[in-house]
PDB file of all heavy atoms in Angstrom:
ATOM      1  N   THR K 417      22.870  67.693 -33.588  1.00 87.00           N
ATOM      2  CA  THR K 417      21.878  67.036 -34.437  1.00 87.00           C
ATOM      3  C   THR K 417      22.536  65.922 -35.239  1.00 87.00           C
ATOM      4  O   THR K 417      23.743  65.910 -35.460  1.00 87.00           O
ATOM      5  CB  THR K 417      21.238  68.029 -35.416  1.00 87.00           C
ATOM      6  OG1 THR K 417      22.253  68.602 -36.258  1.00 87.00           O
ATOM      7  CG2 THR K 417      20.513  69.146 -34.676  1.00 87.00           C
ATOM      8  N   TRP K 418      21.732  64.949 -35.651  1.00 84.00           N
ATOM      9  CA  TRP K 418      22.123  63.947 -36.636  1.00 84.00           C
ATOM     10  C   TRP K 418      21.116  63.991 -37.772  1.00 84.00           C
ATOM     11  O   TRP K 418      19.968  64.405 -37.591  1.00 84.00           O
ATOM     12  CB  TRP K 418      22.167  62.537 -36.025  1.00 84.00           C
ATOM     13  CG  TRP K 418      20.839  62.071 -35.474  1.00 84.00           C
ATOM     14  CD1 TRP K 418      20.380  62.203 -34.207  1.00 84.00           C
ATOM     15  CD2 TRP K 418      19.781  61.425 -36.206  1.00 84.00           C
ATOM     16  NE1 TRP K 418      19.123  61.672 -34.078  1.00 84.00           N
ATOM     17  CE2 TRP K 418      18.725  61.183 -35.294  1.00 84.00           C
ATOM     18  CE3 TRP K 418      19.632  61.010 -37.530  1.00 84.00           C
ATOM     19  CZ2 TRP K 418      17.534  60.555 -35.680  1.00 84.00           C
ATOM     20  CZ3 TRP K 418      18.449  60.395 -37.915  1.00 84.00           C
ATOM     21  CH2 TRP K 418      17.411  60.166 -36.997  1.00 84.00           C
ATOM     22  N   SER K 419      21.515  63.554 -38.937  1.00 85.00           N
ATOM     23  CA  SER K 419      20.587  63.549 -40.070  1.00 85.00           C
ATOM     24  C   SER K 419      21.061  62.556 -41.125  1.00 85.00           C
ATOM     25  O   SER K 419      22.251  62.239 -41.219  1.00 85.00           O
ATOM     26  CB  SER K 419      20.477  64.949 -40.703  1.00 85.00           C
ATOM     27  OG  SER K 419      21.724  65.343 -41.250  1.00 85.00           O
ATOM     28  N   ARG K 420      20.113  62.054 -41.853  1.00 81.00           N
ATOM     29  CA  ARG K 420      20.347  61.255 -43.048  1.00 81.00           C
ATOM     30  C   ARG K 420      19.164  61.497 -43.965  1.00 81.00           C
ATOM     31  O   ARG K 420      18.157  62.100 -43.537  1.00 81.00           O
ATOM     32  CB  ARG K 420      20.495  59.767 -42.708  1.00 81.00           C
ATOM     33  CG  ARG K 420      19.241  59.120 -42.129  1.00 81.00           C
ATOM     34  CD  ARG K 420      19.489  57.638 -41.854  1.00 81.00           C
ATOM     35  NE  ARG K 420      18.361  56.997 -41.186  1.00 81.00           N
ATOM     36  CZ  ARG K 420      17.336  56.437 -41.811  1.00 81.00           C
ATOM     37  NH1 ARG K 420      17.284  56.492 -43.137  1.00 81.00           N
ATOM     38  NH2 ARG K 420      16.361  55.877 -41.132  1.00 81.00           N
ATOM     39  N   PRO K 421      19.214  61.081 -45.222  1.00 79.00           N
ATOM     40  CA  PRO K 421      18.095  61.348 -46.126  1.00 79.00           C
ATOM     41  C   PRO K 421      16.769  60.835 -45.561  1.00 79.00           C
ATOM     42  O   PRO K 421      16.625  59.649 -45.286  1.00 79.00           O
ATOM     43  CB  PRO K 421      18.492  60.598 -47.406  1.00 79.00           C
ATOM     44  CG  PRO K 421      19.981  60.592 -47.391  1.00 79.00           C
ATOM     45  CD  PRO K 421      20.346  60.455 -45.937  1.00 79.00           C
ATOM     46  N   GLY K 422      15.851  61.738 -45.324  1.00 69.00           N
ATOM     47  CA  GLY K 422      14.526  61.374 -44.857  1.00 69.00           C
ATOM     48  C   GLY K 422      14.364  61.297 -43.360  1.00 69.00           C
ATOM     49  O   GLY K 422      13.270  61.010 -42.879  1.00 69.00           O
ATOM     50  N   ALA K 423      15.417  61.514 -42.581  1.00 73.00           N
ATOM     51  CA  ALA K 423      15.296  61.409 -41.132  1.00 73.00           C
ATOM     52  C   ALA K 423      16.318  62.316 -40.467  1.00 73.00           C
ATOM     53  O   ALA K 423      17.398  62.569 -41.007  1.00 73.00           O
ATOM     54  CB  ALA K 423      15.496  59.968 -40.662  1.00 73.00           C
ATOM     55  N   SER K 424      15.968  62.824 -39.278  1.00 73.00           N
ATOM     56  CA  SER K 424      16.882  63.682 -38.519  1.00 73.00           C
ATOM     57  C   SER K 424      16.424  63.698 -37.069  1.00 73.00           C
ATOM     58  O   SER K 424      15.317  63.274 -36.736  1.00 73.00           O
ATOM     59  CB  SER K 424      16.893  65.107 -39.080  1.00 73.00           C
ATOM     60  OG  SER K 424      15.612  65.703 -38.973  1.00 73.00           O
ATOM     61  N   GLY K 425      17.300  64.175 -36.206  1.00 76.00           N
ATOM     62  CA  GLY K 425      16.954  64.261 -34.806  1.00 76.00           C
ATOM     63  C   GLY K 425      18.031  64.960 -33.995  1.00 76.00           C
ATOM     64  O   GLY K 425      19.045  65.407 -34.541  1.00 76.00           O
ATOM     65  N   THR K 426      17.810  65.036 -32.690  1.00 76.00           N
ATOM     66  CA  THR K 426      18.765  65.697 -31.811  1.00 76.00           C
ATOM     67  C   THR K 426      19.721  64.671 -31.206  1.00 76.00           C
ATOM     68  O   THR K 426      19.418  63.485 -31.101  1.00 76.00           O
ATOM     69  CB  THR K 426      18.046  66.439 -30.675  1.00 76.00           C
ATOM     70  OG1 THR K 426      17.291  65.496 -29.894  1.00 76.00           O
ATOM     71  CG2 THR K 426      17.108  67.498 -31.240  1.00 76.00           C
ATOM     72  N   TRP K 427      20.894  65.173 -30.792  1.00 82.00           N
ATOM     73  CA  TRP K 427      21.889  64.326 -30.142  1.00 82.00           C
ATOM     74  C   TRP K 427      22.490  65.132 -29.003  1.00 82.00           C
ATOM     75  O   TRP K 427      23.136  66.153 -29.223  1.00 82.00           O
ATOM     76  CB  TRP K 427      22.965  63.927 -31.140  1.00 82.00           C
ATOM     77  CG  TRP K 427      23.697  62.655 -30.783  1.00 82.00           C
ATOM     78  CD1 TRP K 427      23.752  62.077 -29.575  1.00 82.00           C
ATOM     79  CD2 TRP K 427      24.458  61.840 -31.673  1.00 82.00           C
ATOM     80  NE1 TRP K 427      24.509  60.921 -29.642  1.00 82.00           N
ATOM     81  CE2 TRP K 427      24.953  60.741 -30.908  1.00 82.00           C
ATOM     82  CE3 TRP K 427      24.784  61.921 -33.021  1.00 82.00           C
ATOM     83  CZ2 TRP K 427      25.756  59.764 -31.460  1.00 82.00           C
ATOM     84  CZ3 TRP K 427      25.571  60.923 -33.574  1.00 82.00           C
ATOM     85  CH2 TRP K 427      26.052  59.852 -32.808  1.00 82.00           C
ATOM     86  N   THR K 428      22.246  64.684 -27.781  1.00 80.00           N
ATOM     87  CA  THR K 428      22.739  65.399 -26.610  1.00 80.00           C
ATOM     88  C   THR K 428      23.501  64.425 -25.709  1.00 80.00           C
ATOM     89  O   THR K 428      23.234  63.212 -25.725  1.00 80.00           O
ATOM     90  CB  THR K 428      21.593  66.027 -25.804  1.00 80.00           C
ATOM     91  OG1 THR K 428      20.676  65.013 -25.385  1.00 80.00           O
ATOM     92  CG2 THR K 428      20.861  67.067 -26.637  1.00 80.00           C
ATOM     93  N   GLY K 429      24.445  64.935 -24.930  1.00 79.00           N
ATOM     94  CA  GLY K 429      25.223  64.066 -24.067  1.00 79.00           C
ATOM     95  C   GLY K 429      25.800  64.772 -22.871  1.00 79.00           C
ATOM     96  O   GLY K 429      25.939  66.011 -22.862  1.00 79.00           O
ATOM     97  N   SER K 430      26.129  63.969 -21.854  1.00 77.00           N
ATOM     98  CA  SER K 430      26.785  64.465 -20.641  1.00 77.00           C
ATOM     99  C   SER K 430      28.071  63.693 -20.431  1.00 77.00           C
ATOM    100  O   SER K 430      28.101  62.462 -20.565  1.00 77.00           O
ATOM    101  CB  SER K 430      25.880  64.280 -19.419  1.00 77.00           C
ATOM    102  OG  SER K 430      24.670  64.999 -19.564  1.00 77.00           O
ATOM    103  N   TYR K 431      29.149  64.409 -20.081  1.00 76.00           N
ATOM    104  CA  TYR K 431      30.471  63.810 -19.905  1.00 76.00           C
ATOM    105  C   TYR K 431      30.509  63.020 -18.599  1.00 76.00           C
ATOM    106  O   TYR K 431      30.134  63.520 -17.530  1.00 76.00           O
ATOM    107  CB  TYR K 431      31.510  64.921 -19.889  1.00 76.00           C
ATOM    108  CG  TYR K 431      32.951  64.446 -19.803  1.00 76.00           C
ATOM    109  CD1 TYR K 431      33.561  63.847 -20.899  1.00 76.00           C
ATOM    110  CD2 TYR K 431      33.696  64.628 -18.647  1.00 76.00           C
ATOM    111  CE1 TYR K 431      34.878  63.432 -20.843  1.00 76.00           C
ATOM    112  CE2 TYR K 431      35.013  64.226 -18.574  1.00 76.00           C
ATOM    113  CZ  TYR K 431      35.601  63.621 -19.682  1.00 76.00           C
ATOM    114  OH  TYR K 431      36.905  63.220 -19.609  1.00 76.00           O
ATOM    115  N   MET K 432      30.971  61.742 -18.673  1.00 71.00           N
ATOM    116  CA  MET K 432      31.023  60.878 -17.514  1.00 71.00           C
ATOM    117  C   MET K 432      32.441  60.690 -16.963  1.00 71.00           C
ATOM    118  O   MET K 432      32.616  60.346 -15.797  1.00 71.00           O
ATOM    119  CB  MET K 432      30.435  59.502 -17.850  1.00 71.00           C
ATOM    120  CG  MET K 432      29.003  59.538 -18.354  1.00 71.00           C
ATOM    121  SD  MET K 432      27.883  60.462 -17.256  1.00 71.00           S
ATOM    122  CE  MET K 432      28.043  59.547 -15.740  1.00 71.00           C
ATOM    123  N   GLY K 433      33.450  60.878 -17.801  1.00 69.00           N
ATOM    124  CA  GLY K 433      34.824  60.684 -17.350  1.00 69.00           C
ATOM    125  C   GLY K 433      35.713  60.255 -18.503  1.00 69.00           C
ATOM    126  O   GLY K 433      35.264  60.077 -19.629  1.00 69.00           O
ATOM    127  N   PRO K 434      37.011  60.071 -18.230  1.00 67.00           N
ATOM    128  CA  PRO K 434      37.955  59.682 -19.293  1.00 67.00           C
ATOM    129  C   PRO K 434      37.600  58.330 -19.916  1.00 67.00           C
ATOM    130  O   PRO K 434      36.975  57.507 -19.267  1.00 67.00           O
ATOM    131  CB  PRO K 434      39.294  59.603 -18.556  1.00 67.00           C
ATOM    132  CG  PRO K 434      39.100  60.429 -17.314  1.00 67.00           C
ATOM    133  CD  PRO K 434      37.665  60.289 -16.939  1.00 67.00           C
TER     134      PRO K 434
END
Side-chain angles (χ1 to χ4, degrees):
T417 60
W418 61 268
S419 64
R420 65 179 175 89
S424 62
T426 61
W427 204 341
T428 59
S430 299
Y431 184 72
M432 302 308 300

